[in-house]
Amino acid sequence: MAAPRPAALLRGLPAPMVSVVLGLAVVASSIGGGLGGDSGAPFPWDKVRLPEHVVPLHYHLLIHPNLTTQTFTGTAAIDLTVTRQTSAVILHSKRLHVAWAAIGAQEARVLEQQALEQVALLAAEPLRAGHNYTVTIQYTANLSDSFHGFYKSTYRTQEGELRVLAATQFEPTFARAAFPCFDEPAFKARFSVKIRREPKHLALSNMPLMKTVNINSWLVEDHFDTSVKMSTYLVAFIVSDFKSISKISSHGVNISVYTVPEKIDQADYALDAAVKLLDFYEDYFSISYPLPKQDLAAIPDFQSGAMENWGLTTYRESALLYDPDKSSASSRLWITMIIAHELAHQWFGNLVTMEWWNDLWLNEGFAKFMEFVSVNITHPELKVEDYFLSNCFDAMEVDALNSSHPVSTPVKDPAQILEMFDDVSYVKGSCILNMLKDYLTDDVFKAGLVQYLQKYSYQNTKNEDLWNSMTNICPTVGTDKSEQQGDGFCRRNQQSSSNAHWTKGETLDVKAMMNTWTLQKGFPLVTVTVRGKNVHLQQEHYMTGTDSHSSTGYLWHIPLTYITSKADTVQRFLMTTKTDVIILPEEVEWIKFNVYMNGYYIVHYEDDGWDHLINLLKENHTAISNNDRASLINNIFQLVRIKKIPISKALDLTLYLKRETQIMPVLQGMNELVPIYKLMEKRDMDDTEKQLKEYIVNLFKDLIDKQLWSDDGSVSERMLRQSLLLFACVRRYQPCVDKAEEYFLKWQKSNGTLSLPADVKTAVYAVGAQTSEGWDFLLSKYRQHSFSIDKSRIELALSFTRNKDKLQWLLDQGLRGDIIKTQDLPHIILYVARNPSGYQLAWTFLKENWEKLVEKFELGSNSIATIVTGVTNKYSTRLQLAQVKEFFSSLEEKSAQLRCIQQAIETIEDNIQWMDTNLNDIKTWLQKNHL
């Protein structure tokens, strides 16, 4: 326990004195400079990044939230070291009213620079290089109304009583809204946290509770153990009335799940998963988890899925709580993956942290990738490998736009930093890591990771630190003779074994290869032309839209894999030039590149290459893997987007889907076809749209008819069932609608007590919500505590109504946050925007409430991006484009420059071009195929 410091400066004062001083402070700080400040003095620093010559070593924090007045007071005493003489200490502070500050025993003047979210403490005499000091700051603030900083969350008990709690969300730049700090990831320090609370509440922080001191009859103070060295964004504390359950992992870590008392019976699954996963990571990384405990807390109001605060991971309730009787298979998969993601961060992100947010992917791409590695081994029944692919396709959709960005991108201000939390950092990051693992082999890849984590523990890293760790690894595995050269590169012998990859003498320069994937945006299109035994290859930057010919300078090092009609052993070839040739041992009927879609690139088979593959799918689709079939479906539609292939050929390929039964190719087929008629819906093109819908339903009709209305089967089968039944019922496929109506009426008759199979509920609710009475009944259940596990399903179902007043009500309620929590508003807007009766309402709602949305969810956040792109991504007329451009250009500069707005505009332009090119061909094809 740390000895008392000059920190406790106001603690000894009588209570009335404290309030006088704090009261004075609020007034002083709000008129400009903070107490003792001088609003006329120039602020001594003008950069977004803090100076590097003052470095924090240890924070002593005392935080006292008042859940009644929804305010808090704080004292931050920060031990720091000075490496160059200076007269000012610059730190971050956001919406904090500084009451009083000192450097050592001397009171300091306080200046505030709101635009940069900084305060300066001016010393009476210069601080000398090589000396340590303690700065102490007393401050007050309001609990935030957003989902960032130290914020207020509420829930209702079964009896309807509203309860308030306070929780933190600091990543990326919001620790400064809870205490003054050096809020950049490279300023790692130790933290000793004390929290004052009412005796009826419970406080949690990153470290275990050491002792509790009674201040008076209505107030206690919890002292938490000192943390390991970490970044400010990982600090966390919660004051609540949560209950918990606990277990000890096999490595001796105390793991607990916390939630509101009435949901504690939904915590068991998460606890068991966390124990398994934490044990797995300790073994996999060969590095012990460094804290004595790991808490997982479900917060009633939470913007993202979850947050990796060290030792106290926080989650949205739906991302942690699981009811074996009521939750769906997809919910179990999602919860397991999110826990796996946050626990992976305890090593990738917490133990080893990126130096700056430009390399956020080192945290997020890894955690996303490790979800699949860990869950695959700890929960094999979930078959996670089935879903990795669709993630990569989603990332490629964004990455194909000119407005995409490299995985590693320079960023400065908080809005730009928030924008990094997107599919490129998370999903593309994980897809290129998967490609690298496939390229290096599992053992070499894992050895490189372990070396990276061991070398940089408690430090900060850049991209190249990872590649350097990967380059010097040459474990000898099995019969694979690897030799370490004097230059530190691996060279492999081609003849040594079946899994040896690369030609003799070829250097595996991981850094040179991976820089092509992380330092330039987008991904390659590889065009394959077969002439006899010669396979001619050409690579180019795949890009949609009007600027697609402007990026000629792009070149990737592509680890190509392929199989042929004559050889199903995976062949490998590293392509590092614009064009190349592979010579096959014999002529083949077909060749399929990017086996299992392990590579982050797409392939075009020129001449009759596609015809041979389409024929293969027609004759014998199981000759290639599920993933290979899904990737062919994806690739051919991406080629239609850039006019390399006519839409008729892509539609010819989909005909084989009548015989497809596997989840990945079926869902990929839907993912390509459904958006086409969604474009038509927003143009009111009834006839073609109707024909296309009928074609899609017809394709999957046999598979839909085979679906059981139960929870039987594997996780993949159950997830496929959920998707297919919802699809069929929403498209008004009569056998599905009849069955769902029958279920809904029985369920309604039982007043919601009848137990419906979890995986068919969404379809049943969606059909039930089509009548006004059914919609009202569903809403009444939504408001009941016993249906908390079904909330997201009911929200989706309610959004399918054609009644515009009801859709408007959903939007307004989501913003109000009483019946529908505001955390769910981005989804609600998205659902309403997808509804042909609601897309104009959603656009009007976005325009009228833009300021409120930004205030709640923060400029640059993924939530804002989801709303902007979700509302506009199926617009395809010049009038819609003009409206979108006009509204966003009318906003202040910071909003107008958001990447998601560029993406939205580009997507609409792309849609217009797509419809101009393909609409008539679709009509002709549908007529020709008598569908």
Side-chain angles (χ1 to χ4, degrees), residues 868-927:
V868 169
T869 53
V871 167
T872 60
N873 68 1
K874 292 295 173 280
Y875 289 177
S876 67
T877 68
R878 286 169 178 80
L879 177 64
Q880 287 164 331
L881 176 64
Q883 288 176 340
V884 170
K885 278 183 163 174
E886 183 191 5
F887 171 68
F888 285 118
S889 62
S890 74
L891 299 174
E892 60 171 35
E893 191 181 9
K894 248 192 166 162
S895 293
Q897 285 177 342
L898 287 176
R899 190 184 293 127
C900 63
I901 290 166
Q902 312 311 315
Q903 287 170 344
I905 289 167
E906 240 185 291
T907 302
I908 300 169
E909 288 170 344
D910 190 36
N911 291 345
I912 292 169
Q913 188 185 325
W914 197 97
M915 291 293 266
D916 289 350
T917 308
N918 298 306
L919 191 56
N920 287 331
D921 296 350
I922 294 173
K923 288 179 183 173
T924 311
W925 190 90
L926 288 168
Q927 279 153 0

Side-chain angles (χ1 to χ4, degrees), residues 254-487:
N254 186 26
I255 301 179
S256 309
V257 176
Y258 286 84
T259 174
V260 302
E262 288 155 356
K263 295 182 182 175
I264 196 66
D265 58 340
Q266 296 167 24
D268 293 314
Y269 180 79
L271 182 61
D272 291 340
V275 169
K276 253 188 201 172
L277 286 158
L278 201 72
D279 279 338
F280 167 81
Y281 285 133
E282 292 204 62
D283 294 336
Y284 185 87
F285 295 135
S286 311
I287 297 174
S288 298
Y289 174 72
L291 307 188
K293 61 99 173 172
Q294 167 65 236
D295 297 335
L296 297 83
I299 312 293
D301 298 275
F302 202 83
Q303 184 169 334
S304 56
M307 176 60 206
E308 69 265 21
N309 318 301
W310 217 344
L312 175 55
T313 51
T314 48
Y315 302 76
R316 203 176 249 251
E317 289 186 330
S318 60
L320 194 67
L321 304 180
Y322 179 82
D323 181 330
D325 298 327
K326 294 178 181 172
S327 297
S328 64
S330 56
S331 173
R332 182 166 58 162
L333 175 75
W334 147 253
I335 288 168
T336 316
M337 299 284 270
I338 288 188
I339 295 171
H341 182 100
E342 303 316 324
L343 296 185
H345 269 310
Q346 309 300 302
W347 286 264
F348 278 102
N350 300 11
L351 184 66
V352 180
T353 314
M354 76 262 132
E355 198 164 284
W356 180 243
W357 300 104
N358 60 315
D359 283 332
L360 172 69
W361 85 277
L362 287 174
N363 284 13
E364 296 302 349
F366 259 108
K368 190 93 197 126
F369 170 73
M370 288 309 301
E371 290 174 20
F372 290 91
V373 174
S374 60
V375 176
N376 192 18
I377 292 170
T378 58
H379 296 77
E381 73 286 356
L382 295 180
K383 290 250 187 309
V384 287
E385 63 278 12
D386 285 355
Y387 315 103
F388 190 75
L389 248 203
S390 55
N391 270 311
C392 299
F393 293 146
D394 291 345
M396 284 174 145
E397 196 169 321
V398 177
D399 205 17
L401 298 171
N402 193 28
S403 52
S404 185
H405 62 93
V407 168
S408 184
T409 300
V411 285
K412 289 202 301 279
D413 63 48
Q416 288 175 342
I417 292 168
L418 266 177
E419 283 191 303
M420 289 298 283
F421 290 76
D422 68 354
D423 273 355
V424 173
S425 296
Y426 282 69
V427 182
K428 180 181 181 176
S430 68
C431 299
I432 62 176
L433 287 170
N434 185 54
M435 177 170 69
L436 180 61
K437 178 175 75 106
D438 185 55
Y439 168 81
L440 291 176
T441 72
D442 290 7
D443 294 309
V444 176
F445 181 79
K446 177 179 170 180
L449 288 194
V450 170
Q451 178 164 301
Y452 168 77
L453 288 171
Q454 287 177 341
K455 183 174 179 183
Y456 295 107
S457 289
Y458 303 104
Q459 294 175 56
N460 296 79
T461 55
K462 299 188 285 294
N463 248 349
E464 56 260 36
D465 298 323
L466 177 63
W467 308 142
N468 293 340
S469 300
M470 292 282 177
T471 301
N472 299 320
I473 298 290
C474 271
T476 47
V477 184
T479 56
D480 186 358
K481 299 181 187 64
S482 304
E483 21 172 329
Q484 179 105 27
Q485 304 295 317
D487 56 10

Side-chain angles (χ1 to χ4, degrees), residues 174-188:
F174 297 97
R176 63 192 68 171
F179 56 95
C181 56
F182 297 79
D183 202 8
E184 294 179 12
F187 286 118
K188 288 191 168 184

Side-chain angles (χ1 to χ4, degrees), residues 744 747-748 768-779 798:
F744 188 81
W747 178 71
Q748 197 176 358
Q770 294 305 304
T771 68
S772 189
E773 186 198 350
W775 196 92
D776 292 341
F777 180 75
L778 266 171
L779 180 63
L798 294 174

